[in-house]
Amino acid sequence: MLKKSDILDFIRSVSAPVTKREVARGFGIKGGENRVALKQILKALEAEEAIIKQPGGAYSVPKGLPGVCVVEVCEITADGDVFARPVDWSDEVQGEAPRIEIVPDKKHFAHMKDKARALVRLSRQSETLYEAKIIKALDYEKSANILGIVRYTKHGPILAPTDKKAKYDFDINPGDLNGAQEGDLAVGEVQRGRGIKRKRVRITEILGKQGDPQAISLISLYEAGLSEEFPDTVLDAAKGLKVPPLKGREDLRDYPLVTIDGADARDFDDAVFAEKTDNGGFHLIVAIADVAYYVRPNAPLDIEAQKRGNSTYFPDRVVPMLPEALSNDLCSLRPHEDRACMAVHLYIDADGQMTKYKFVRGLMKSKARLVYEQVQYYYDQINASPSNRGSDELFEKIPDQVRDAILVLYEAYRTLDAARQKRGALDLDLPERQILIDERGQMIGVKPRLRLDAHKLIEEFMILANVAAASALEAKRDAQSYPCVYRIHDRPKSDRLDEMRDFVESFGISLPKGQVMQSGQINGILRQAAKTPYSHLISQVILRSQAQAVYSPDNIGHFGLALQRYAHFTSPIRRYADLLVHRSLINAYDLGPGGLSDEEIARLDEICGHISSTERTSMEAERSAVDRFTSSYLSEQVGAEFAGRITGVTRFGLFVELLESGADGLVPMKSLSDDFYIHDEKGHALVGRKNKKLFRLGAPVTVRITEADGLTGSLVLRLSGKSMNGADIPGVRFKSRVPDEQSHRRGGKNSRGRSNRSQRPPSKGGFKKSGGRKHSGPPSKRK
């Protein structure tokens, strides 16, 4: 009989987090009652906080680290031993970090200098010591290079870094300028030397001029280690490829498949079709570009695609995962051209439940390239009364043969949307903003990004296809031969839930305690919040409480979408995870060449860690570029007043979102010079010790721009008008816990004279409600 103590001892004894399957294997459990008992014991141990579930579903003891994580070198001993600490570790919350010793290897170890970062696989040696084997060194290639602007001073030329976290400038010997002029955006190689007060750099590359609008994205691109250029071997591999013949494929060319994308989209990687069935349900087809046919495992195209992990979207450009010969041509489902595809036939009943599916390799021909707004207008006009209909001229671009198909697509969407609401998928529909760029590459404004039913229609079709992909691989029941790269989203952690509970209760909204949280319960909070003026604030706090969605070969479900299984299948042009899923389906259902290789299967856990990391890198680069574009745009409005909302309260100041542009700026603590302000964490406020002025999270304020630097993306603000007398939320009572004065920290400037802005408002979370589609700006739909 299984004993709780034995299971706990086993998890303590192993050197890395273990999955439920590995625990079962360790105790020789193959099925039946023992497997049920094991599941109950693990749940009980987790509830008692004797063990914790790591991202990916593996279990460890509470102080244990995940099997794979990012570390930063923090100590190099006199003997040359290298020790690191987890990047995502908080000493205040978690206590002292365990020591992690880097295991020497031939490829990466020599580059593990102070502050260097690496993705590592951990093995626990004791409660306080881990060994780490390097999977990938993350930044040593650029650690000795600095990106900055060349400036001439009375003491000689310097390189002023574009990184807002940089603490000092770098001197340049005149002989090391290599043609760089005042205002050039350049890369400097740090020069070694002893006894020098400030480090020197040698200019190695000139990227552009400070005033060039294209320099904004170049800075963010370079900082993230991204490259727009492909190696010659990759470009050569993309030449001469052709659409395959019909043999061995299903002919889908007679179906009225259409693509529906943004007006400025250039790659069309999915097409859809729907027809009614006799049982009141629908037969759907989702056809996806057959990237796996062209990009074979371990070939040059594949090696580069895996390295990039995904495409990255800036306001003025895209850094693609694949060369344009594929992404904008052979793998783009352009209208009236034969294209190879991976397609899935999906059948749903009248309640929106999937009853069966079938994956095929096909040859298709899109009947039309449609735009979201165009499709929505057509549908709205068809359903409007005759007196309110617009001109028929607006319908001309929609071919007759697909007009009826559009109406059926909407009927199927209504059915799927009803099923989504019934299962309780998280309904965080926060507004997004779109950066407007003119033909010169300069930002000219910002506008809300439209979210129409046409967008939601495509989302629901893609989600259903993604669920079918995960289900199809699970149906083969051989994870060794036909693994699935799941898109997993864990439940919010208990401490995050407690914080969220305290916050929403201040608005008179209750959240039950002692229950396993379901996404439907959070939707109930959102519905209550919608009745208040602060629904946007509550939605943001809930989003921040969510876990980061990641890729994993082990399934724990997708909390946000309320799905037991979920994968990414629908965008292999721009996500490597989707390509892996395609390859596994090809093997599982004997669909021809281009399947998953044995090497990929063996390395799947490592690849999942890598592409989860590249996704985070892209998200940060995209956000950094938006910050820079917005700060550059606002630099001409220094001194102007704007309406804003407090979005973050910290010991070093207030973060404020400008309502007009969506820009995030910092009101430094040093600008609140009339009192000694204390950070009340429970009350989400800064409180004056003497005057009792209070500045609360979510409160409206008026601010004046004092500094806007497009190169670093920093935006410094000062409270103005009545906001200088405090800003609170009327009628809301937070649980207050004003700490001692040690929690106060006066703002200041670093040695380069910049306001401290190395920290940002709390992250807006890793899960976003809408995911999987592409935009000209950062993709919002990363489910």
Side-chain angles (χ1 to χ4, degrees), residues 60 185 229 266 282 334 347 352 451 509 649 735 739 757:
S60 69
L185 176 64
E229 304 298 325
R266 293 192 299 165
F282 296 87
R334 300 192 298 207
Y347 296 86
R451 181 162 162 75
I509 300 173
V649 179
K735 296 178 181 178
R757 252 202 104 209

Side-chain angles (χ1 to χ4, degrees), residues 274-417:
E275 63 182 353
K276 295 180 181 179
T277 56
D278 294 337
N279 65 353
F282 296 87
H283 165 221
L284 316 178
I285 298 176
V286 174
I288 306 298
D290 190 358
V291 176
Y293 176 80
Y294 303 102
V295 182
R296 302 296 175 89
N298 212 34
L301 283 167
D302 178 59
I303 293 171
E304 183 67 17
Q306 185 181 127
K307 176 184 175 183
R308 294 179 177 230
N310 49 264
S311 297
T312 306
Y313 293 79
F314 296 109
D316 62 339
R317 73 189 69 202
V318 176
V319 179
M321 186 180 79
L322 297 172
E324 286 194 1
L326 289 174
S327 61
N328 291 348
D329 189 359
L330 286 175
C331 292
S332 183
L333 307 181
R334 300 192 298 207
H336 314 303
E337 296 183 23
D338 285 357
R339 286 292 181 264
C341 65
M342 280 280 289
V344 56
H345 293 271
L346 302 159
Y347 296 86
I348 61 173
D349 61 22
D351 295 322
Q353 300 301 310
M354 184 167 58
T355 58
K356 62 179 179 178
Y357 52 80
K358 180 184 178 183
F359 283 88
V360 300
R361 254 179 161 164
L363 195 67
M364 64 155 289
K365 183 183 291 186
S366 170
K367 296 300 184 290
R369 178 269 199 267
L370 303 178
V371 176
Y372 291 119
E373 293 82 359
Q374 173 191 24
V375 171
Q376 188 65 50
Y377 182 83
Y378 174 78
Y379 179 77
D380 291 343
Q381 290 298 304
I382 288 296
N383 288 278
S385 62
S387 61
N388 292 328
R389 288 182 183 173
S391 170
D392 289 340
E393 295 179 2
L394 297 174
F395 298 162
E396 288 182 359
K397 292 186 179 180
I398 299 182
D400 292 339
Q401 60 183 330
V402 302
R403 292 186 180 184
D404 290 340
I406 290 174
L407 301 181
V408 182
L409 287 172
Y410 271 90
E411 287 188 60
Y413 156 65
R414 301 294 179 200
T415 302
L416 290 171
D417 186 54

